[in-house]
């Protein structure tokens, strides 16, 4: 069993090594981070959504912004569209599950915000519809996906595609990318960062 555990750690490491060596992806992560810094300096917000484990990742990243990531500092506005059960169930019941995020973006998204849609396959219909709603409101769209990026990578303004076909490896890397973005935002806005 110990060898199995070590093999799982190795697979996670190898995926992250591929990200480490992927200059194009690293440049895109830097670009998203800079855009987040700029929008926060202009009084705008980040909005995130995903399904299942990706919903948890959306909430995790939003919480890092609203609460704190590495050190105490003023709160930054960030919404996870996965947390309001009344909105999710009402919209799902009245309009269909494919519109649970797009309807919320229509109501709460503003010109200049940034929307991060998270999906390991890149083909979640409700995220794709949310991208379409975001574009109508001049909200920048970022796909956080894996595999070949799916449909999301084709329509997003920026696609951060983890080079893996394994859902667990993709999700582990999504949180790594989310943490890097949070760290850069704090460092650039508040002049500090996480060095560990």
């Amino acid at each position: 069993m110990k060898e199995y555990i070590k093999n799982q750690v190795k697979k996670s490491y190898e995926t992250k090594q591929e990200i480490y060596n992927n200059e194009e992806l690293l440049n895109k992560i830097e670009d998203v981070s800079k855009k987040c810094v700029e929008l926060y300096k202009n009084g705008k917000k980040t909005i995130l959504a995903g399904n299942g484990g990706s919903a948890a990742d959306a909430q995790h990243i939003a919480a890092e912004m609203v609460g704190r990531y590495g050190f105490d500092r003023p709160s930054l506005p960030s919404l996870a569209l996965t947390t309001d059960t009344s909105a999710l169930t009402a919209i799902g019941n009245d309009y269909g599950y494919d519109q649970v995020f797009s309807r919320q973006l229509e109501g709460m998204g503003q010109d200049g915000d940034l929307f991060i849609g998270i999906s390991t396959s890149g083909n979640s219909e409700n995220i794709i519809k949310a991208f379409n709603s975001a574009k109508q409101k001049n909200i920048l769209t970022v796909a956080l996906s894996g595999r070949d990026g799916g449909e999301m990578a084709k329509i997003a303004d920026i696609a951060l595609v983890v080079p893996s076909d394994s859902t667990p490896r993709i999700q582990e890397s999504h949180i790594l990318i989310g943490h890097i973005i949070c760290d850069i935002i704090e460092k650039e806005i508040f002049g500090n960062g996480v060095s560990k």
Side-chain angles (χ1 to χ4, degrees):
M1 185 176 286
K2 189 180 288 183
E3 283 306 309
Y4 177 81
I5 294 168
K6 287 172 74 177
N7 190 47
Q8 293 300 300
V9 173
K10 184 177 181 221
K11 287 178 180 177
S12 183
Y13 166 80
E14 288 170 348
T15 301
K16 292 177 177 74
Q17 188 71 39
E18 284 192 54
I19 294 169
Y20 181 86
N21 292 321
N22 187 327
E23 283 297 320
E24 181 183 0
L25 179 54
L26 295 175
N27 289 337
K28 288 181 178 181
I29 294 169
E30 181 181 15
D31 189 29
V32 170
S33 301
K34 286 178 177 177
K35 287 184 180 347
C36 286
V37 169
E38 184 180 333
L39 75 88
Y40 278 131
K41 286 182 176 178
N42 289 317
K44 301 299 182 180
K45 64 186 173 294
T46 54
I47 305 169
L48 304 97
N51 298 286
S54 297
D57 290 343
Q59 292 164 209
H60 181 160
I61 296 166
E64 304 281 23
M65 292 292 90
V66 175
R68 57 174 265 175
Y69 174 68
F71 58 91
D72 289 330
R73 42 83 177 159
S75 180
L76 294 169
S78 188
L79 294 173
L81 302 180
T82 53
T83 57
D84 187 338
T85 54
S86 295
L88 291 171
T89 54
I91 295 166
N93 185 62
D94 295 344
Y95 296 96
Y97 187 69
D98 62 331
Q99 295 187 52
V100 293
F101 302 136
S102 58
R103 287 290 292 180
Q104 291 187 76
L105 266 177
E106 286 173 28
M108 293 185 284
Q110 296 177 321
D111 184 344
D113 289 343
L114 182 144
F115 173 64
I116 300 175
I118 309 173
S119 167
T120 58
S121 70
N123 291 313
S124 297
E125 187 63 29
N126 54 14
I127 301 291
I128 292 167
K129 288 197 178 216
F131 278 178
N132 293 331
S133 289
K135 286 179 183 297
Q136 291 173 6
K137 298 199 78 170
N138 199 31
I139 295 170
L140 188 73
T141 56
V142 175
L144 193 51
S145 63
R147 298 183 174 84
D148 65 356
E151 198 60 32
M152 285 168 47
K154 296 174 188 172
I155 63 173
D157 294 309
I158 304 170
L160 306 177
V161 182
V162 172
S164 175
D165 291 325
S166 166
T167 297
R169 304 296 83 84
I170 295 165
Q171 289 176 328
E172 290 159 5
S173 299
H174 281 175
I175 265 315
L176 171 64
I177 291 168
H179 278 168
I180 290 168
I181 292 169
C182 290
D183 190 17
I184 291 171
I185 290 167
E186 283 192 339
K187 185 175 188 298
E188 292 299 313
I189 295 177
F190 302 106
N192 206 333
V194 177
S195 59
K196 296 179 183 178

